[in-house]
Amino acid sequence: MAAAAAASSDPPRGFQFAIDRGGTFTDVFARCPGGRVRVLKLLSEDPGYRDAPTEGIRRVLEEELGVPVPRDEPLDTSGIEWIRMGTTVATNALLERRGERLALLVTRGFRDLLHIGNQARPHIFDLEVAVPEVLYEEVIEVDERLIPHQPGCRLPGSDTLPLLEGSTGTSLLLQRPLDLGGLRQALEGVLARGIRSLAVLLLHSYAWPGHEEQVGALARELGFRHVSLSSAVAGMVRAVPRGYTACADAYLTPCIHRYLQSFLRGFRNQLEGVPVLFMRSDGGLTPMEQFGGARAILSGPAGGVVGYAVTTYGCQGGQPVIGFDMGGTSTDVSRYAGEFEHVFEASTAGVAIQAPQLDINTVAAGGGSRLFFRSGLYVVGPESAGAHPGPACYRKGGPLTVTDANLCLGRLLPEYFPRIFGPGEDQPLCREAAERAFADMAARIQAFQAATTADAADPPEPLTVEEVAMGFLRVANEAMCRPIRALTQARGHDAARHVLACFGGAGGQHACAIARALGMSRVFIHKHSGVLSAYGLALADVVHEAQTPCALRYEAAAFARLDARLAALEQQCRHALRAQGFAGERIRTEAFLHLRYEGTDCALMCSAKGHPPTPASCRAGDFLAAFTSRYLQEFGFTIPDRPVVVDDVRVRGTGSSGISCETPLAPSGKPPRVETVTRCYFEEGYLETPVFLLEELACDHTIPGPAIIIDKNSTIVVEPGCTASLTPLGDVCIAVGSGAPRPVSPQLDAVQLSIFSHRFMSIAEQMGRILQRTAISTNIKERLDFSCALFGPDGGLVSNAPHIPVHLGAMQETVQFQIRNLGEDLREGDVILSNHPCAGGSHLPDLTVITPVFWPGVPKPVFFVASRGHHADIGGITPGSMPPHSKTLQEEGAVFVSFKLVKDGVFQEEAVREALLAPGRVPGCSGSRNLPDNLSDLRAQVAANQKGIQLVTELIRLHGLPVVQAYMAHIQANAEVAVREMLKGFAARWGTAVEAEDFMDDGSPIRLRVQVDPQEGSAVFDFSGSGPEVYGNCNAPRAITLSALIYCLRCLVGQDIPLNQGCLAPVRVVIPKGSILDPSPEAAVVGGNVLTSQRVVDVILRAFGVCAASQGCMNNVTFGSARGGYYETVAGGAGAGPHWHGRSGVHTHMTNTRITDPELLELRYPVVLRRFELRGGSGGAGRWRGGRGVRRELQFRQPTLLALLCDRRVTRPYGLRGGSPGAPGLNLLLRWDGRTINLGPRNVVPVEPGDVFCLQTPGGGGYGDPQEGEDPTDGGHPTDGGHPTEGPRPPQSFAERGSLFEYRRAQEGV
């Protein structure tokens, strides 16, 4: 089918349809012959018709042509000029796991690679590790192996292996030829079992796809209907996301093709001769026959981004725009500043897709977000009411939601909604149901406040329904402002300098409040905002992209090859677009290079637009200038002497085909007609609010707030202090006034408590963004191994982000130590550096930078900010400062107790340089091996603290110091309430005294006795009886034990609470001095941070009896030489619980570190990864089975030093309630000469080329008596870690996605 359609504002010759088929509603935008526009919204699923888009087209044709068009006959297509569609078919199939049956073909030794993934768990405080299951149901291991060619490789026999030239410019060795004979038999077996779709993932196929192509040819010959080769679907380095993408393509494309065939059957001649285009995730249209799974995930939302980009950006004078799409079940946020912002890897429903996608961030559950009151806090979402039963006002017994709050306050008018609610779907929205639910909520809040303020002289006034509903709206708005701030600041922009483009059915009710909170001065709402995703399809262009991987440096020697690749890709794009009917003058191409500094992972996709070629650049443009300019914008610095590497070469071709159908409005010359006047509740109380119909307004109308503007598909609330006006094209532009400041008193108010909770967390998050942007090291910039926090005047933690378990509460100990230690010597202009265990440190590489903050007229600090970052090296006996065999603290690196990093405002560079080099004076030790990175990162930490100071002082100026300090205390008290409630519940169920014991591999006991006071909800955690300090490094500083305790308390509470000082207020912790949990100041501690911390968690959870032990180890593996080193932690099995199997191959408890992708590992380091799979039989038996550990084999290609820091090689992870323990781990060295050596839990050993390190990690313990019916499956394809049918299902929630979600996952993956 020809795709091209004239980009024109002329009236169409036939009907033009742009249709967005969403999960709940299908939106239709139609241009009829003569130019008339029709807009239609109908249910996506309805028993009255077979297909919603077809039904929408039928209705328009019938009404416009004036003749009956039978629903049960194929539609006549003679009058249809073109059809464009966006659809959530792919997304829904992925979310609901309703795709095609699928088998995965993967290189032998990696059958479980996609199950393990990056080994991080998605929710760090969930003891039940619930990860969406893999898409395939069978795995076939393929006998073949390619490894990167490395100069200096001394692997025995490598010099005789065939050398292959890769497409990236790198060479590969053929270590094992492809065996098609054995594969044929396995494929025939899969076919016999009814599987017709395959995904193929062979290692390093992105660079040399020959083996995958041969496998694909064999599969098609045998009769497989769909075969997705990873090298063709996503030809980029990194096997795991490429494999996920191939699986998604094989899983979804057949579903999409079935839907397309079904759609075509609704038309005569199956739409032959009618251009049918579909929206892809990257914001471009593509012909129907090229529309496939991996690029269809964001097909629906992408239309909305195109819609506001085209309609708002130009109208607002080129001012950058934030897109705010708030629907019934989700809220999407995106940004446009002249070009679309893409991400090239993002996750949906637990599947990482490696393909260009618009950066659309799903951040909340929309109007269906559920409302809760928990432990004194108003909480909005993330749970959603969904479409069924929907909000309380839908008359189906649904829960209280944001929609109910808007209805209760008079911001939604039921008489302007269709009567489609109730069991018979024939009734209006029910305001009374919403009011009843809010009355019940108000009573619960009142009862809680009465119980917690029983001794107060002035009991709180009773709350009205309206006050409660308004409180929830204010909290919802603040919750949605947080991700918008993060999205803009992530790239160095100011949210206040943007226009808020609002669309979706629910967005207009919140637009003014959100814009005001963010400091924005304008809101833009297009006249078709209720169907903007459909309208955006009509405005979009056809796009064809071509991309190829690369591994060249960006330097003069490579320019000719880069130019040749760009030219070839450009020709490919032009040819594809010409084949769709586009003339040359309507085709535009743009070249991109995916660039990064050598030795980093932070790649930026850069266009040379605005950077013309120079004698020292490619002919396509000065990509280096573009890269450094953008790097500086996003990160605040560049690395001038570092080579730049090209990861991918990409060309985006665009065929101009968007329509222009804006019709100017005529002025009316008279005031706007008021449809009616209603009473609407605002901050000022009830106000008389005029209601206007958008269709009756003209371009000379200005409407001051308060007012409501109603369209067929959306309701716009113009708040007091704001003014709406219509543009010449009939769109609504709202000037947002600052609004009267609402006074806040220091007395506790539950709504303000929730708002301040978001504000304090936002401060810590924004500090983290500054730290990540300005740091230079890989650990902080890319691994995100840092935390930022805000503290009260007493040093008590107020907010902390991100929630790295081993940092929780530990920084509080550091700040409070400085208050005690420095006292009056803490002065304005000082910044303190500390890492010593006796001063609240965890281990020496974690450097904490603390800034006291003073306020005029107050002699002592009014609050503190701090940032803790893991520095890659601070000296000591081994590179990386993580020695497995250290015996004293000084062997582990530079030590700081109360070091003034900044004194009187001056950075003390010479002094800190000297301190970082000081370990070199100790025999056998070295000073810092990377001093420039240390200094740069310390400056970044100071800058992050400065950002925190700026944000808190803004808050103080707005509300006053007494109010801000009061709410710091209120937030801490709120966390205390949540923990007290949990402890009372525990005492009622399990009794007031519990105890537990477990052991380290050296026999050191960790003992705990917990005594709970059921009246007070308090507890004593007594670790008396734990073993003495050890002559080694498994001593855990006191701060580590407190972090483990806070982590466990948060897991036990089971819901989001502020993680601050209040968590420990109901708890008294007894730790004997001189024990392994509170060693002497000179004791080595690096193993305590990574090993003993896990055992402390095991003991606490055992005492409470909540689940069996997880692997209880981080499996720290380091190897390297004088040329550099590598460090990783490796997953194991998670413990089972009362209604779940333990997840296999995942990190648990005090770590969540991601593992390096196999292809990157082999490209960058002198090793071959021979095997990475689950370890059969290692999970403990039980009614609920423990998760399995992994088997990971590294073969060394050069002489190197291997260092291991592990535990649970002797003791086994315990089972619970009759469940069996998990298998212990095992560290084996398989020497090239045939010897097998057990290395024990902790060792340092030189290895030779050809030697193999075989790591077998522990499994998780089982839960419950196996005789009660153990699930027998163990080994083979994993089915563990999900939600068994016997266990409770999780509450319905929105599916998060986008760069903000990926960033948070990366932060929690440390």
Side-chain angles (χ1 to χ4, degrees):
M1 297 177 186
S8 166
S9 58
D10 298 333
R13 298 184 304 276
F15 288 91
Q16 300 172 341
F17 291 99
I19 304 171
D20 174 38
R21 186 189 188 281
T24 306
F25 290 103
T26 291
D27 298 336
V28 180
F29 174 86
R31 285 180 83 206
C32 307
R36 174 177 158 85
V37 169
R38 293 290 308 274
V39 172
L40 190 66
K41 187 181 282 281
L42 63 161
L43 289 169
S44 294
E45 301 288 344
D46 190 291
Y49 43 80
R50 187 180 57 82
D51 175 66
T54 309
E55 173 66 11
I57 292 172
R58 188 197 69 79
R59 291 183 189 182
V60 171
L61 292 176
E62 183 173 78
E63 292 169 16
E64 287 296 313
L65 297 175
V67 296
V69 179
R71 186 172 284 163
D72 56 355
E73 294 180 12
L75 301 180
D76 180 10
T77 61
S78 59
I80 299 176
E81 187 175 337
W82 51 248
I83 298 171
R84 298 175 174 194
M85 282 180 61
T87 176
T88 57
V89 168
T91 312
N92 293 342
L94 199 57
L95 288 169
E96 298 163 16
R97 293 300 196 259
R98 289 189 292 102
E100 185 79 357
R101 292 182 65 198
L102 160 70
L104 170 69
L105 276 64
V106 68
T107 301
R108 183 167 298 283
F110 297 88
R111 62 175 296 111
D112 302 309
L113 180 65
L114 299 188
H115 174 92
I116 299 167
N118 63 17
Q119 77 181 6
R121 61 195 188 278
H123 305 290
I124 56 174
F125 298 115
D126 287 356
L127 295 174
E128 176 188 3
V129 181
V131 179
E133 278 308 321
V134 291
L135 302 179
Y136 50 86
E137 60 182 78
E138 288 199 35
V139 180
I140 298 174
E141 293 186 275
V142 181
D143 282 307
E144 67 84 44
R145 191 66 159 94
L146 302 173
I147 61 173
H149 175 252
Q150 290 182 352
C153 172
R154 292 167 56 186
L155 192 65
S158 61
D159 53 343
T160 63
L161 296 178
L163 189 67
L164 305 174
E165 199 58 43
S167 61
T168 60
T170 57
S171 300
L172 297 144
L173 297 176
L174 178 59
Q175 192 179 49
R176 189 188 312 146
L178 173 63
D179 176 12
L180 286 175
L183 183 59
R184 177 182 289 272
Q185 186 176 353
L187 287 174
E188 287 170 345
V190 167
L191 268 175
R193 290 186 287 279
I195 294 175
R196 299 289 182 272
S197 190
L198 294 180
V200 184
L201 170 64
L202 304 182
L203 292 193
H204 300 289
S205 60
Y206 71 95
W208 195 81
H211 282 175
E212 282 198 351
E213 290 166 353
Q214 292 174 57
V215 169
L218 173 63
R220 293 186 187 97
E221 173 198 321
L222 291 173
F224 285 91
R225 294 189 195 128
H226 186 87
V227 181
S228 292
L229 307 181
S230 75
S231 54
V233 173
M236 300 172 76
V237 68
R238 291 199 301 141
V240 171
R242 197 173 71 251
Y244 282 142
T245 307
C247 286
D249 191 71
Y251 187 72
L252 299 175
T253 299
C255 297
I256 291 170
H257 287 173
R258 278 196 296 273
Y259 172 73
L260 296 180
Q261 290 304 313
S262 169
F263 175 67
L264 290 176
R265 283 195 293 272
F267 299 86
R268 290 183 196 167
N269 302 321
Q270 298 204 356
L271 285 171
E272 187 177 342
V274 178
V276 182
L277 301 173
F278 274 77
M279 176 62 77
R280 297 194 311 186
S281 301
D282 62 1
L285 296 166
T286 193
M288 179 173 63
E289 53 272 19
Q290 295 177 21
F291 185 60
R295 295 181 180 240
I297 302 296
L298 299 184
S299 174
V305 176
V306 174
Y308 84 74
V310 174
T311 59
T312 307
Y313 183 72
C315 295
Q316 299 300 308
Q319 189 173 349
V321 185
I322 293 292
F324 177 69
D325 177 7
M326 186 176 181
T329 52
S330 67
T331 298
D332 290 339
V333 172
S334 54
R335 180 178 182 273
Y336 183 81
E339 56 185 45
F340 293 117
E341 296 190 350
H342 289 100
V343 292
F344 296 88
E345 183 184 321
S347 299
T348 299
V351 179
I353 305 292
Q354 226 182 20
Q357 305 166 57
L358 291 176
D359 187 15
I360 301 172
N361 292 270
T362 302
V363 298
S369 293
R370 293 180 59 183
L371 310 180
F372 305 93
F373 183 77
R374 291 176 178 155
S375 306
L377 277 178
Y378 282 57
V379 178
V380 179
E383 297 88 347
S384 170
H388 301 286
C393 61
Y394 278 21
R395 300 176 182 265
K396 291 183 180 177
L400 208 50
T401 68
V402 168
T403 296
D404 294 305
N406 278 310
L407 181 63
C408 222
L409 299 175
R411 297 168 178 226
L412 295 176
L413 305 178
E415 58 268 33
Y416 293 94
F417 276 73
R419 299 169 69 92
I420 57 171
F421 304 99
E425 299 185 348
D426 57 357
Q427 298 178 62
L429 287 172
C430 183
R431 182 167 178 169
E432 293 75 22
E435 288 176 340
R436 284 195 302 272
F438 272 113
D440 292 344
M441 178 73 78
R444 289 203 300 276
I445 295 171
Q446 200 70 34
F448 177 86
Q449 291 178 338
T452 53
T453 58
D455 302 329
D458 299 316
E461 292 289 322
L463 292 167
T464 66
V465 162
E466 290 81 3
E467 286 171 332
V468 173
M470 190 69 194
F472 275 111
L473 277 195
R474 287 162 60 201
V475 173
N477 291 337
E478 183 60 37
M480 287 185 283
C481 285
R482 254 175 76 184
I484 294 174
R485 290 189 190 104
L487 182 68
T488 50
Q489 287 163 354
R491 297 183 174 92
H493 307 296
D494 181 0
R497 297 185 178 180
H498 291 66
V499 175
L500 189 68
C502 196
F503 55 108
Q509 295 125 57
H510 298 258
C512 289
I514 285 175
R516 182 177 281 156
L518 292 167
M520 296 175 171
S521 59
R522 273 184 294 175
V523 171
F524 186 89
I525 303 175
H526 192 269
K527 61 177 175 283
H528 295 309
S529 66
V531 294
L532 195 65
S533 288
Y535 185 59
L537 295 169
L539 303 177
D541 291 326
V542 176
V543 169
H544 184 90
E545 289 208 348
Q547 181 169 318
T548 184
C550 185
L552 301 173
R553 280 186 176 182
Y554 187 82
E555 59 189 9
F559 289 161
R561 294 177 71 180
L562 291 172
D563 280 325
R565 291 191 188 188
L566 287 168
L569 295 177
E570 180 181 350
Q571 280 304 110
Q572 191 178 324
C573 289
R574 287 187 176 277
H575 177 76
L577 291 169
R578 278 196 297 268
Q580 295 176 44
F582 288 96
E585 66 273 10
R586 288 171 53 205
I587 297 175
R588 302 186 315 276
T589 61
E590 188 172 2
F592 296 84
L593 295 182
H594 205 192
L595 301 171
R596 61 180 171 84
Y597 283 118
E598 194 168 76
T600 75
D601 282 330
C602 187
L604 300 176
M605 189 66 78
C606 296
S607 161
K609 187 192 292 184
H611 298 277
T614 70
S617 78
C618 288
R619 288 200 308 272
D622 190 349
F623 287 96
L624 183 61
F627 172 71
T628 52
S629 171
R630 186 166 158 206
Y631 203 93
L632 185 65
Q633 163 73 37
E634 294 203 16
F635 303 119
F637 67 93
T638 60
I639 316 176
D641 300 325
R642 187 81 63 93
V644 172
V645 176
V646 184
D647 276 346
D648 300 279
V649 180
R650 169 179 169 237
V651 173
R652 182 177 175 90
T654 303
S656 178
S657 68
I659 65 167
S660 173
C661 59
E662 300 281 15
T663 306
L665 287 184
S668 72
K670 54 187 179 183
R673 185 183 77 84
V674 177
E675 167 78 1
T676 186
V677 176
T678 187
R679 294 180 76 237
C680 194
Y681 193 91
F682 295 97
E683 295 285 2
E684 300 84 352
Y686 274 111
L687 297 176
E688 296 294 309
T689 304
V691 178
F692 301 88
L693 299 182
L694 180 59
E695 64 192 30
E696 295 183 359
L697 299 179
C699 61
D700 56 348
H701 288 156
T702 298
I703 299 170
I708 293 177
I709 301 173
I710 291 182
D711 181 25
K712 290 175 184 172
N713 299 305
S714 60
T715 299
I716 301 167
V717 176
V718 185
E719 296 204 355
C722 301
T723 304
S725 58
L726 256 69
T727 70
L729 297 175
D731 306 317
V732 178
C733 189
I734 303 175
V736 180
S738 58
R742 189 174 189 274
V744 179
S745 77
Q747 277 70 45
L748 175 62
D749 174 86
V751 175
Q752 287 297 337
L753 181 67
S754 303
I755 291 172
F756 270 100
S757 176
H758 280 292
R759 289 281 171 87
F760 291 144
M761 275 303 296
S762 182
I763 288 167
E765 288 166 354
Q766 291 179 67
M767 288 172 66
R769 284 294 192 175
I770 293 294
L771 178 51
Q772 187 241 355
R773 281 184 58 225
T774 55
I776 198 169
S777 71
T778 299
N779 263 2
I780 293 179
K781 176 171 287 299
E782 294 167 17
R783 289 190 61 242
L784 307 180
D785 193 351
F786 64 81
S787 284
C788 296
L790 171 67
F791 305 84
D794 61 349
L797 178 64
V798 176
S799 64
N800 183 111
H803 293 139
I804 295 174
V806 82
H807 289 181
L808 292 174
M811 273 197 283
Q812 171 179 300
E813 292 274 304
T814 305
V815 175
Q816 291 177 334
F817 175 88
Q818 304 308 326
I819 294 172
R820 294 191 304 271
N821 195 44
L822 293 175
E824 299 299 319
D825 197 25
L826 267 176
R827 298 189 178 91
E828 191 162 8
D830 288 351
V831 179
I832 311 303
L833 171 62
S834 182
N835 69 344
H836 197 292
C838 76
S842 48
H843 62 164
L844 296 187
D846 280 346
L847 298 184
T848 305
V849 174
I850 305 158
T851 308
V853 185
F854 293 82
W855 191 253
V858 182
K860 291 190 173 181
V862 295
F863 62 92
F864 294 83
V865 289
S867 52
R868 174 171 286 184
H870 184 108
H871 287 239
D873 193 289
I874 55 163
I877 56 177
T878 61
S881 306
M882 294 276 290
H885 54 296
S886 53
K887 301 296 189 291
T888 63
L889 190 67
Q890 66 178 1
E891 293 179 328
E892 297 179 354
V895 177
F896 302 92
V897 179
S898 296
F899 184 91
K900 290 203 173 180
L901 180 64
V902 177
K903 192 171 183 180
D904 299 324
V906 179
F907 188 82
Q908 304 294 301
E909 180 164 341
E910 281 308 312
V912 74
R913 182 188 295 270
E914 185 178 334
L916 285 165
L917 294 174
R921 295 195 289 268
V922 177
C925 292
S926 165
S928 171
R929 298 166 182 87
N930 201 345
L931 192 60
D933 279 14
N934 295 136
L935 296 173
S936 294
D937 285 354
L938 287 171
R939 286 194 179 91
Q941 289 178 258
V942 172
N945 288 5
Q946 200 58 40
K947 179 66 174 180
I949 293 167
Q950 173 201 332
L951 293 170
V952 183
T953 50
E954 285 173 9
L955 209 55
I956 293 173
R957 287 193 193 99
L958 184 62
H959 297 292
L961 180 62
V963 170
V964 174
Q965 287 190 330
Y967 273 92
M968 285 183 173
H970 294 327
I971 287 291
Q972 292 167 336
N974 172 257
E976 178 182 342
V977 166
V979 173
R980 286 190 187 277
E981 287 181 353
M982 182 274 294
L983 290 171
K984 288 177 184 177
F986 174 82
R989 185 177 180 190
W990 300 107
T992 59
V994 292
E995 57 185 39
E997 179 180 55
D998 207 340
F999 296 87
M1000 303 294 290
D1001 276 353
D1002 64 3
S1004 294
I1006 309 289
R1007 293 198 180 110
L1008 172 65
R1009 178 175 175 80
V1010 183
Q1011 190 76 34
V1012 182
D1013 183 328
Q1015 276 72 46
E1016 292 288 324
S1018 60
V1020 177
F1021 282 72
D1022 188 350
F1023 288 93
S1024 297
S1026 295
E1029 173 184 320
V1030 297
Y1031 184 61
N1033 59 25
C1034 282
N1035 302 292
R1038 177 184 170 85
I1040 290 293
T1041 302
L1042 296 181
S1043 296
L1045 180 53
I1046 288 184
Y1047 166 80
C1048 291
L1049 292 174
R1050 167 61 184 84
C1051 292
L1052 294 169
V1053 168
Q1055 63 190 37
D1056 280 333
I1057 60 170
L1059 291 170
N1060 57 43
Q1061 173 180 271
C1063 293
L1064 291 181
V1067 172
R1068 185 165 70 88
V1069 184
V1070 178
I1071 304 175
K1073 279 275 185 191
S1075 71
I1076 190 174
L1077 302 182
D1078 191 2
S1080 64
E1082 297 78 26
V1085 297
V1086 69
N1089 184 64
V1090 295
L1091 300 179
T1092 313
S1093 62
Q1094 296 281 48
R1095 196 66 67 258
V1096 173
V1097 170
D1098 287 342
V1099 170
I1100 296 171
L1101 295 180
R1102 188 176 203 170
F1104 281 82
V1106 290
C1107 64
S1110 295
Q1111 69 159 332
C1113 179
M1114 297 186 192
N1115 304 299
N1116 303 269
V1117 178
T1118 307
F1119 61 82
S1121 63
R1123 292 186 295 277
Y1126 172 76
Y1127 168 71
E1128 68 181 16
T1129 63
V1130 184
H1139 59 81
W1140 70 84
H1141 297 302
R1143 174 78 180 176
S1144 299
V1146 71
H1147 259 322
T1148 51
H1149 301 322
M1150 298 301 281
T1151 188
N1152 203 27
T1153 313
R1154 298 181 174 198
I1155 200 157
T1156 304
D1157 189 88
E1159 290 176 343
L1160 290 181
L1161 177 70
E1162 293 185 346
L1163 280 168
R1164 297 179 182 177
Y1165 302 97
V1167 292
V1168 174
L1169 183 60
R1170 297 207 320 180
R1171 190 176 296 276
F1172 190 29
E1173 61 191 11
L1174 298 181
R1175 182 185 173 203
S1178 57
R1183 174 71 185 87
W1184 304 103
R1185 192 183 60 254
R1188 282 165 286 168
V1190 304
R1191 180 185 177 105
R1192 185 169 172 88
E1193 293 184 1
L1194 294 169
Q1195 185 172 39
F1196 298 95
R1197 305 177 71 169
Q1198 293 178 5
T1200 190
L1201 197 65
L1202 172 68
L1204 307 175
L1205 186 55
C1206 307
D1207 210 74
R1208 288 288 196 207
R1209 270 44 184 180
V1210 178
T1211 62
R1212 302 176 68 179
Y1214 59 79
L1216 214 57
R1217 311 259 187 267
S1220 300
L1226 183 63
N1227 299 333
L1228 296 177
L1229 183 62
L1230 313 179
R1231 288 289 192 189
W1232 177 247
D1233 61 11
R1235 287 180 299 155
T1236 297
I1237 302 168
N1238 186 338
L1239 297 177
R1242 289 179 281 282
N1243 219 325
V1244 179
V1245 58
V1247 292
E1248 296 300 322
D1251 289 350
V1252 175
F1253 169 55
C1254 176
L1255 171 67
Q1256 299 179 38
T1257 66
Y1263 188 99
D1265 188 342
Q1267 301 305 315
E1268 295 176 18
E1270 179 187 7
D1271 185 332
T1273 58
D1274 191 29
H1277 173 63
T1279 57
D1280 50 0
H1283 294 276
T1285 53
E1286 294 87 345
R1289 302 295 296 182
Q1292 199 167 15
S1293 181
F1294 67 96
E1296 283 187 276
R1297 65 167 175 243
S1299 60
L1300 298 178
F1301 171 58
E1302 301 298 336
Y1303 177 80
R1304 199 192 74 238
R1305 285 209 320 166
Q1307 281 186 308
E1308 292 180 349
V1310 172

